[in-house]
Amino acid sequence: MIQICLNCLLLSALLLLISIGLNIIYGISRVVNLAHGSLYALGAYFGYSMVSYGVNFYAALLLAPLLAGLCGVVLERLIIEPIRHRDMTYTLILTYGLSVFIDGMFKFIWSDKVQFIQMPSSLRGTLNLFGVHYPNYRLFVLAATVCVILGLLALLEKTKLGMIMRAASTIPEMVSALGVNMKLVHMGVFGLGCVLAGIGGVIAGPLLSVYPMMGSEMLLSCFVVLVIGGLGSLRGAILASLLVGTAQTLGFVFLTDFAMVIVYLMMAVILLFMPKGLLAEGKFD
Amino acid sequence: MEKAIGNKKDRKGLVIQALVLLALVLLPFVLGNKFYLRLVTEIIIYGLLAMSLDVLLGFTGLLSFMHAAYMGIGAYTVAVFLSYVDPGASIWVTFPLGIAVTVVLAFAAGWLQVRTGGFAFALLTVAFGMMYYTLVWKARSITCGDDGLCGLPKPDISLGPIVLGNMNDSLTAYFFTLAVVAVCFFVTRRIMHSPFGAVLESIRENTERASFIGINVRNYKLMGWMLACTLAGISGVLFTYMKGSVSPTLMDARAGGIVLMMTLLGGMGTLWGAFIGAAAYIFLQDFISAMTENWMVFLGLAVILLTLFMPKGLADLPIRLGQRLTRQRSNL
Amino acid sequence: MSTILSTNSLCRHFGGVRAVNDVTIAIRDKSVKAVIGPNGAGKTTLFNTITGRLPATAGTVVFDGRDITNSPVHERVKLGICRTFQINSLFLGATVFENVRIAKQTRMGKSLKIFSKRDSLADVNEATFEILEKVGLGGKASELANTLSYGDQRSLEVAIALAGDPKILLLDEPTAGMSQLETNNIIRLIQKLVKEIAVVLVEHDVDMVLSISDSISVMHQGSIIGEGTPDEICKNQRVREAYLGDENGH
Amino acid sequence: MRKGLAVCISVLLVLTMMPLRPAVAADPIKIGVVVTLTGMAAQLGIDNRNGILLAAKHKGTILGRPIQIITEDDEGQSETGIRKAEKLVFKDKVVALSGVTVANVGQAIAGEADRLNVPFLTTNVMTPKFYGLHPLVFRCGQVADDQMTVAQVMGILKDPDLMKRSWYVLADDYAWGHSCAEEFIKLATEKGIKIKNPTYDNAALNLVDWSPFVSKIISAEVGGVYACLRSPVAPRFVQQAADFGLMEKVKIIGGTPSEAALEAAGESVVGLIGTCCWTWDIDTPKSKAFAEAYWKEFKEVPPSQGAQAYTGAFVLFNAIEKAGGTDPKKIAEALKGATFEGPYGEVRISPKDNCMRTPVKVVVAERAPKNPFGAKIIKKVVASLTPEEVGPAE
């Protein structure tokens, strides 16, 4: 029984870690980034290259996301900024093209082989939790996710930068009127979103393997979590990822055929009757 | 005065499109070999699908991520009927059946979806589209799951007793597809220029103001959705006739993204722009993937550049060229 | 002259904020009713609740004897409740002619025609030209709505409302941002209209309100604090306090 | 403003941009290869293509004419596969089609065999639906699902340690997975092998976390796991199973994971049992020659998929040579009953059902000895089965 709970927790943690960046980017600068999956994969690939060249796993866990965040900021300046004022459809199609481009680059640079980020020796082996052997690495993933989320909540709630971000998510015009350089805020938020995606990538690397299509496969689950939790609300995302993680874990095992249909049904119900998400904190335009 | 200008421009547009249709009719005799003929047939089918999404996106202002799902439903209905019920069924049976099933399933999804708008509507189309995709994928006993239904019998094209030809022959397939798509195009064009079309455009332009002039926005959105899905169903039926095999990848999330790309590359709100978008996408993909296995890099780059520098899509090129011609002619 | 539209103990709350608080007013047919009050008094929220843009939290709205509290916007418009918006809400991509034509076409129930050309509805076109002349936009028919001056856009708002053959016309600050000439046009138009239909005004221009209104209601912090003819309102002590702020300045 | 005269100019411009028929220098024999180069099965597709390219290099010429291999990417989608096959046949005028990595594309192209009217020899499609499918459609290179299952069951029968274990069956939730699982359970119960869950579990395709199944296996206290998972997914399952320390307690039989997948998974994959036609562990002269040639050409660990495609291509080339021309009927005749002494012994195309009979090896993943390819993992041969043992009977 403990094993099943831990399994559900782990999938929820992964979903949360990967979708949180997308949530922030939409919540604060109203950009729907279909290339978010590819940035998650970019983080994983950077992590893989570093670890295979002998960089220590933990160092890679810090460096790779920063590199992914840097790429994110450059992309935001080059591509997202010029069309920010345009209708949402254009950002969707542009980021879709971007995801096709990045997935193509993975194939071009790293080839199609399925790779694994080598797990650090300290995290190998299992831990005996009340008679159940649970891999150390998975416990590390749970712990890492909790730290990242707490850090993020602290950043948003406690710091001045966080206050600006939260204000920008409600009334952007007012914030720029108060002399805040919105360009920097959008750039910072997009960068932060990509760093979070990168962290998700490096942590998922040893577990889920690294291959060109990993990003686009996770994108759909990210959107499901986003919608159920309420677009742009962090607490909602935490609750939603728990719900979706449990539904998928139990669903895949017991009624494999229609597990995903239930998840999409949940998404449809939320969209129809609670557009602002479970905790009604979502920011729908 | 206002009426006169509108009609003159409208008639000139119709003449141009008739000329293009004439060119397409003569095309098979110009083309070197069968492959390009079948490629153009496929472009016309995907053009119809992209046009149906343009009716939704360019005219009613509703974004659907998974529009390919309804093409898939139309295609699968015909494929399942031909495989299990009656392989020799004539097109006068399978065509309406394909459309009927698409309309029913589209209504089921649309009736709920039109309660919302904007991004919520788009996400709902994902939810329902993926549900239909999963059903097709999972109903293994009927649809053979991911193997799809292959080697389907190609129906005869017959008007009553006279058999004009079989879909297996590329020329018949081309002309039948061109005829059906041309009819769909001109009928949709007429509908979009009608008072009903004006209502759809007003909903796109300003949904709240539309309800404040007495339009039942929800009903008209549903009608726009049903028109778009019916056209998508027709393109699905034509696809099965021509290809003779269907598979779930026809209606998955990636296919939905591709149709969206075609419509936007072509240019929204112009109906015929979607055909140019479909032609551009299929050529780009087919041409580049023959040269290098890393075609995704170039395709992604092309989409990014086109979205950034040509927001009105490829259809904008002929329009601008046309304006410059008329301007030169006027000040000569 | 019977009451055409009435609200009894109508409320609209946003969480704790009671924007419209227990408002009961009656609007008589063929008369000009003005609703005035300082900023944030709840005038526009009252408008939005009557016209269905916002659902009412409590109370009812009755029009011509029918309870329309929960009926959707388009049904209220079909009944004849037409309004303009404080912030212009037009079909900016379409021409001035098309803006009014689509409203007229919907009013005349011709929207389901899917095969005739949209410009071929002769009766709709005539009625549209007529309304444009009435509002003084006859000359600008083929211009795009987003190229119009602010004043012209306000007139276009009125034209679109008129295209709905209103029984009651609700104007949300029609003269805001208008030149004196344009304001006079609007006043002359209202005086002509009020011969057949009821007109409800939300306005800041007090002189204009006093000159043309038959009855005035004054709102303050969500509720009605004074009602009556323009002269009664001038003498009303509570109204003066609300506007000038009384001694203890709460 | 709406539409200038230029509309039809632009449409015609787009259409005439199509390249005209390329000028033909020497008159090469063109062979079309349709493989999956993007998507999940991309690595397998690349191994297929490389095998066929190497075969063309080694064959050199057919009937004195150079061989030209034209490759197309089907992205693993049936409709794209058909379009690319049409391009190869109608535009490039290829003499025969080969390759094809995934079953749905293979069946889609086979469905169009009459219209394409060229011999289609698939080197890597495993679905049993190809037996006697069409006079122009052949399979040579990769074993079919049923042959693989027979080999796996024989592998268990020959090893008493495996025989006494009870087996838990897990399959990828798609056509190939289901047919493998069903056939394994049917054959295993016939041969008296204990199956823990006759109604096998299937795992959704976009499943990322395998822990639910691993915990199910642990609680089922089984001795062995039969997992028919796609090649790119198998290592992830094995890696996650190893995390739970499952590899010590349980023997896993996992479909036919490719060398690249095994290299990626590294240490945790040791002990995984599988079946394939070829592995560089076979030390016959022909096998050694192939391994060195592949390493020299592509600088990658020689994959079994590559050897299978290499063999299939050679059978096709020899058949065209024997047919003495490019007439589809003649080539088809020549292919019936064709034999070829390849890297993994003699293969033969049975005239009864146009599909290959081949020796099959049962292999176990182990740490590789010193080898020129820098490989960490080797597929050690533990049992070899003759074509007659593997069947199907003719």
Side-chain angles (χ1 to χ4, degrees):
Chain A
M1 190 44 206
I2 305 152
Q3 184 107 30
I4 292 172
C5 297
L6 285 172
N7 295 342
C8 295
L9 264 179
L10 182 93
L11 187 59
S12 314
L14 277 176
L15 281 175
L16 180 61
L17 202 55
I18 296 163
S19 67
I20 202 74
L22 191 61
N23 215 336
I24 287 178
I25 293 175
Y26 180 81
I28 289 161
S29 50
R30 288 295 182 283
V31 166
V32 179
N33 180 8
L34 294 184
H36 188 74
S38 309
L39 288 162
Y40 148 71
L42 192 64
Y45 268 104
F46 282 143
Y48 163 69
S49 299
M50 288 181 192
V51 169
S52 59
Y53 286 133
V55 172
N56 164 319
F57 175 76
Y58 300 102
L61 185 54
L62 289 177
L63 280 173
L66 291 178
L67 220 54
L70 196 67
C71 294
V73 165
V74 166
L75 286 175
E76 197 267 343
R77 279 297 102 198
L78 281 176
I79 303 174
I80 311 273
E81 181 54 28
I83 62 156
R84 188 182 298 285
H85 57 278
R86 265 205 242 138
D87 169 51
M88 177 186 70
T89 326
Y90 288 99
T91 35
L92 290 178
I93 194 68
L94 185 90
T95 47
Y96 183 81
L98 185 61
S99 75
V100 168
F101 172 75
I102 297 177
D103 290 351
M105 289 308 277
F106 294 145
K107 182 177 160 55
F108 180 66
I109 297 170
W110 282 284
S111 89
D112 282 278
K113 290 193 177 59
V114 174
Q115 309 291 1
F116 281 85
I117 296 180
Q118 287 314 327
M119 222 182 282
S121 49
S122 56
L123 293 173
R124 286 185 199 279
T126 60
L127 192 67
N128 196 330
L129 280 165
F130 320 111
V132 164
H133 290 282
Y134 203 74
N136 298 343
Y137 186 76
R138 286 170 180 251
L139 296 174
F140 164 74
V141 169
L142 292 179
T145 312
V146 168
C147 297
V148 165
I149 297 303
L150 289 181
L152 195 61
L153 284 175
L155 171 80
L156 283 179
E157 250 84 37
K158 299 292 180 288
T159 63
K160 185 170 178 303
L161 179 65
M163 192 181 58
I164 294 173
M165 282 203 213
R166 271 182 292 119
S169 70
T170 40
I171 318 158
E173 296 78 19
M174 183 57 75
V175 172
S176 57
L178 297 173
V180 171
N181 176 340
M182 281 309 282
K183 249 197 209 336
L184 275 178
V185 170
H186 288 308
M187 216 162 68
V189 160
F190 202 89
L192 177 63
C194 296
V195 165
L196 289 167
I199 294 172
V202 176
I203 285 183
L207 213 56
L208 312 183
S209 74
V210 180
Y211 52 97
M213 286 300 145
M214 69 192 287
S216 40
E217 272 166 19
M218 284 304 275
L219 193 66
L220 214 51
S221 326
C222 283
F223 267 105
V224 171
V225 168
L226 217 64
V227 161
I228 291 176
L231 280 162
S233 103
L234 295 194
R235 279 176 203 76
I238 296 167
L239 188 65
S241 54
L242 278 172
L243 201 66
V244 172
T246 315
Q248 277 191 346
T249 313
L250 301 182
F252 280 144
V253 175
F254 297 116
L255 23 90
T256 45
D257 276 356
F258 293 99
M260 280 313 281
V261 174
I262 294 162
V263 171
Y264 293 127
L265 214 60
M266 261 200 296
M267 181 177 167
V269 164
I270 296 280
L271 277 168
L272 281 169
F273 305 111
M274 294 186 273
K276 291 230 185 306
L278 280 180
L279 301 177
E281 275 178 8
K283 297 175 181 58
F284 246 113
D285 45 8
Chain B
M1 184 270 294
E2 163 64 26
K3 220 170 17 183
I5 304 168
N7 274 359
K8 195 159 77 57
K9 244 192 251 104
D10 198 23
R11 217 173 302 112
K12 198 170 85 176
L14 199 62
V15 164
I16 301 297
Q17 278 147 17
L19 272 173
V20 168
L21 181 61
L22 189 64
L24 285 174
V25 167
L26 301 175
L27 193 61
F29 313 107
V30 166
L31 282 184
N33 56 43
K34 254 198 293 196
F35 166 65
Y36 288 118
L37 193 58
R38 292 193 68 80
L39 192 65
V40 173
T41 316
E42 192 170 335
I43 286 175
I44 293 173
I45 291 177
Y46 273 104
L48 176 63
L49 179 62
M51 182 187 86
S52 71
L53 183 57
D54 193 21
V55 163
L56 206 57
L57 189 55
F59 285 85
T60 327
L62 295 171
L63 173 62
S64 165
F65 275 136
M66 291 282 292
H67 206 55
Y70 298 96
M71 173 197 196
I73 291 169
Y76 259 92
T77 314
V78 173
V80 166
F81 189 85
L82 286 178
S83 306
Y84 296 97
V85 180
D86 168 13
S90 94
I91 56 169
W92 299 108
V93 173
T94 51
F95 206 102
L97 179 69
I99 298 172
V101 172
T102 312
V103 161
V104 166
L105 291 180
F107 184 80
W111 185 71
L112 287 170
Q113 282 172 215
V114 286
R115 288 167 195 283
T116 62
F119 195 35
F121 182 91
L123 289 170
L124 264 174
T125 58
V126 171
F128 283 108
M130 284 310 283
M131 264 185 245
Y132 287 139
Y133 167 71
T134 314
L135 287 179
V136 164
W137 176 278
K138 291 289 188 250
R140 234 189 326 287
S141 52
I142 309 163
T143 61
C144 306
D146 69 303
D147 271 354
L149 299 164
C150 308
L152 297 169
K154 303 271 174 39
D156 290 334
I157 310 298
S158 56
L159 270 170
I162 336 139
V163 175
L164 303 171
N166 184 292
M167 281 299 278
N168 214 357
D169 150 47
S170 301
L171 262 177
T172 326
Y174 176 77
F175 281 114
F176 177 67
T177 309
L178 185 63
V180 171
V181 169
V183 165
C184 289
F185 173 75
F186 284 107
V187 164
T188 310
R189 184 180 180 285
R190 190 62 190 260
I191 294 176
M192 284 307 128
H193 286 180
S194 73
F196 172 75
V199 169
L200 292 187
E201 280 183 57
S202 70
I203 292 174
R204 175 198 73 210
E205 201 63 40
N206 183 338
T207 312
E208 183 174 52
R209 169 48 86 186
S211 63
F212 269 94
I213 56 172
I215 293 174
N216 183 337
V217 170
R218 189 175 292 183
N219 280 5
Y220 279 94
K221 274 202 229 176
L222 186 57
M223 286 186 235
W225 166 264
M226 293 310 293
L227 173 62
C229 290
T230 312
L231 292 171
I234 294 173
S235 71
V237 171
L238 289 174
F239 183 87
T240 307
Y241 288 161
M242 184 203 121
K243 274 282 191 212
S245 88
V246 286
S247 81
T249 53
L250 199 62
M251 55 194 284
D252 63 5
R254 193 166 169 282
I258 287 171
V259 177
L260 189 60
M261 242 196 284
M262 285 183 191
T263 310
L264 283 158
L265 292 188
M268 289 198 297
T270 59
L271 284 185
W272 50 271
F275 288 91
I276 294 186
Y281 178 82
I282 290 181
F283 262 113
L284 215 60
Q285 199 268 345
D286 197 69
F287 197 70
I288 301 174
S289 74
M291 282 193 296
T292 148
E293 70 187 58
N294 294 312
W295 54 271
M296 283 172 82
V297 173
F298 300 101
L299 189 65
L301 213 58
V303 167
I304 293 171
L305 295 178
L306 272 170
T307 317
L308 280 179
F309 302 114
M310 282 180 72
K312 287 212 180 59
L314 294 171
D316 202 35
L317 285 176
I319 293 178
R320 248 190 247 139
L321 211 61
Q323 278 161 353
R324 204 164 296 129
L325 280 177
T326 43
R327 217 172 297 120
Q328 269 145 14
R329 216 180 306 118
S330 57
N331 51 33
L332 272 183
Chain C
M1 282 195 288
S2 66
T3 308
I4 183 162
L5 183 138
S6 63
T7 70
N8 19 49
S9 63
L10 186 65
C11 303
R12 169 65 202 181
H13 304 151
F14 296 100
V17 174
R18 296 174 177 283
V20 169
N21 189 9
D22 190 11
V23 165
T24 305
I25 55 171
I27 299 158
R28 287 206 315 288
D29 200 357
K30 297 185 178 60
S31 76
V32 178
K33 174 84 175 185
V35 180
I36 59 170
N39 274 342
K43 309 190 291 295
T44 303
T45 312
L46 175 66
F47 246 45
N48 289 340
T49 313
I50 291 173
T51 55
R53 195 180 191 194
L54 291 175
T57 314
T60 61
V61 180
V62 175
F63 177 77
D64 243 352
R66 275 173 49 143
D67 180 344
I68 57 160
T69 319
N70 300 319
S71 55
V73 167
H74 61 270
E75 260 158 42
R76 297 187 197 208
V77 174
K78 282 204 180 69
L79 290 173
I81 305 171
C82 301
R83 65 166 295 175
T84 65
F85 288 88
Q86 192 178 3
I87 304 144
N88 284 338
S89 168
L90 305 166
F91 301 122
L92 294 172
T95 63
V96 169
F97 179 78
E98 181 58 22
N99 268 269
V100 181
R101 195 201 64 71
I102 187 76
K104 202 64 198 166
Q105 165 193 308
T106 315
R107 181 75 189 122
M108 299 167 85
K110 293 221 175 358
S111 297
L112 279 176
K113 296 164 75 68
I114 58 172
F115 282 112
S116 53
K117 279 210 170 350
R118 64 177 76 172
D119 305 331
S120 68
L121 306 173
D123 46 5
V124 172
N125 294 346
E126 265 139 40
T128 308
F129 273 115
E130 208 183 288
I131 292 171
L132 285 177
E133 291 307 328
K134 213 190 257 182
V135 172
L137 285 171
K140 297 193 167 90
S142 55
E143 276 177 38
L144 286 178
N146 52 23
T147 59
L148 293 178
S149 68
Y150 181 76
D152 283 347
Q153 284 186 345
R154 297 300 295 164
S155 319
L156 184 54
E157 282 265 347
V158 176
I160 294 174
L162 286 177
D165 291 349
K167 292 206 182 71
I168 177 168
L169 183 60
L170 297 102
L171 303 173
D172 197 341
E173 292 186 30
T175 61
M178 272 201 174
S179 66
Q180 191 48 40
L181 176 68
E182 287 159 336
T183 306
N184 296 345
N185 290 347
I186 293 291
I187 291 173
R188 244 187 274 99
L189 179 65
I190 292 172
Q191 280 155 349
K192 236 189 298 156
L193 287 171
V194 93
K195 294 194 176 62
E196 304 107 22
I197 61 172
V199 174
V200 185
L201 285 183
V202 164
E203 202 33 85
H204 278 293
D205 181 344
V206 181
D207 324 333
M208 175 222 182
V209 163
L210 294 177
S211 65
I212 63 166
S213 316
D214 303 330
S215 141
I216 298 175
S217 305
V218 181
M219 280 186 79
H220 183 54
Q221 285 171 348
S223 36
I224 303 276
I225 58 167
E227 204 155 14
T229 63
D231 319 333
E232 289 156 2
I233 289 298
C234 288
K235 300 192 197 70
N236 185 315
Q237 180 50 28
R238 283 190 62 208
V239 166
R240 209 178 272 115
E241 275 160 25
Y243 262 85
L244 309 171
D246 55 16
E247 281 63 23
N248 46 39
H250 67 74
Chain D
M1 181 279 289
R2 287 277 288 150
K3 267 165 285 307
L5 193 59
V7 164
C8 61
I9 297 170
S10 69
V11 169
L12 283 179
L13 196 75
V14 167
L15 295 182
T16 48
M17 229 208 339
M18 285 175 284
L20 296 169
R21 268 165 59 81
V24 172
D27 193 3
I29 290 201
K30 294 188 192 152
I31 309 280
V33 171
V34 180
V35 274
T36 307
L37 299 174
T38 38
M40 272 305 276
Q43 186 54 40
L44 297 178
I46 290 168
D47 295 347
N48 295 355
R49 181 197 58 191
N50 292 350
I52 296 172
L53 289 174
L54 192 62
K57 190 158 179 266
H58 288 180
K59 181 71 184 175
T61 63
I62 301 176
L63 305 168
R65 291 157 64 183
I67 302 173
Q68 181 186 352
I69 300 288
I70 306 171
T71 314
E72 285 293 341
D73 172 17
D74 63 31
E75 300 167 50
Q77 296 183 354
S78 312
E79 58 275 6
T80 317
I82 290 178
R83 189 188 331 142
K84 294 295 161 87
E86 283 167 0
K87 171 196 181 285
L88 290 168
V89 172
F90 298 133
K91 174 173 173 250
D92 301 332
K93 298 282 183 277
V94 294
V95 163
L97 284 173
S98 75
V100 181
T101 316
V102 285
N104 55 330
V105 171
Q107 285 173 59
I109 294 178
E112 300 302 306
D114 289 330
R115 197 155 50 79
L116 298 171
N117 194 21
V118 283
F120 167 42
L121 182 137
T122 171
T123 53
N124 293 81
V125 170
M126 297 174 67
T127 166
K129 292 188 180 128
F130 265 62
Y131 285 114
L133 183 62
H134 187 277
L136 285 174
V137 173
F138 298 82
R139 177 215 326 272
C140 184
Q142 178 96 345
V143 287
D145 296 338
D146 58 326
Q147 294 171 321
M148 186 186 75
T149 317
V150 165
Q152 282 160 348
V153 168
M154 305 282 279
I156 297 176
L157 292 174
K158 283 183 191 287
D159 179 340
D161 165 43
L162 300 180
M163 209 27 214
K164 63 179 178 8
R165 295 168 184 260
S166 71
W167 292 84
Y168 168 90
V169 181
L170 174 66
D172 252 344
D173 182 12
Y174 82 115
W176 174 74
H178 289 284
S179 71
C180 276
E182 276 143 19
E183 287 192 20
F184 176 77
I185 292 171
K186 183 159 61 63
L187 206 59
T189 34
E190 265 167 39
K191 295 283 195 289
I193 300 171
K194 296 187 287 298
I195 300 288
K196 185 76 178 176
N197 57 344
T199 54
Y200 56 92
D201 285 349
N202 41 53
L205 284 189
N206 44 29
L207 181 76
V208 284
D209 177 16
W210 292 86
S211 52
F213 289 106
V214 172
S215 24
K216 230 177 150 179
I217 295 168
I218 293 171
S219 55
E221 278 112 24
V222 280
V225 172
Y226 180 81
C228 24
L229 307 173
R230 287 161 299 154
S231 177
V233 172
R236 187 192 313 169
F237 167 70
V238 171
Q239 170 101 13
Q240 292 186 11
D243 287 353
F244 280 83
L246 197 62
M247 288 304 274
E248 291 84 23
K249 298 201 230 50
V250 160
K251 286 280 180 218
I252 298 182
I253 297 187
T256 58
S258 67
E259 275 69 8
L262 297 179
E263 290 301 318
E267 210 45 49
S268 59
V269 122
V270 167
L272 178 68
I273 305 166
T275 58
C276 56
C277 298
W278 181 81
T279 159
W280 50 272
D281 179 34
I282 303 172
D283 56 9
T284 63
K286 274 197 184 295
S287 162
K288 284 276 173 259
F290 169 77
E292 262 108 37
Y294 194 93
W295 170 254
K296 196 156 64 61
E297 182 78 16
F298 303 103
K299 286 289 172 282
E300 275 184 14
V301 175
S304 46
Q305 292 278 350
Q308 284 148 188
Y310 177 87
T311 311
F314 247 99
V315 167
L316 181 62
F317 298 152
N318 296 346
I320 298 172
E321 200 156 46
K322 190 173 154 213
T326 58
D327 166 65
K329 294 279 176 301
K330 285 220 201 74
I331 298 175
E333 273 323 306
L335 276 169
K336 277 190 182 307
T339 62
F340 172 69
E341 187 63 32
Y344 44 92
E346 210 227 20
V347 293
R348 190 172 47 78
I349 293 189
S350 136
K352 180 164 86 71
D353 52 28
N354 287 1
C355 287
M356 176 183 75
R357 297 300 180 277
T358 170
V360 179
K361 302 281 183 292
V362 180
V363 290
V364 170
E366 280 171 9
R367 283 174 203 80
K370 215 185 93 35
N371 57 69
F373 324 116
K376 299 201 289 294
I377 300 288
I378 182 172
K379 285 183 174 177
K380 198 95 191 82
V381 176
V382 286
S384 331
L385 305 161
T386 63
E388 291 67 32
E389 281 174 306
V390 170
E394 286 185 66

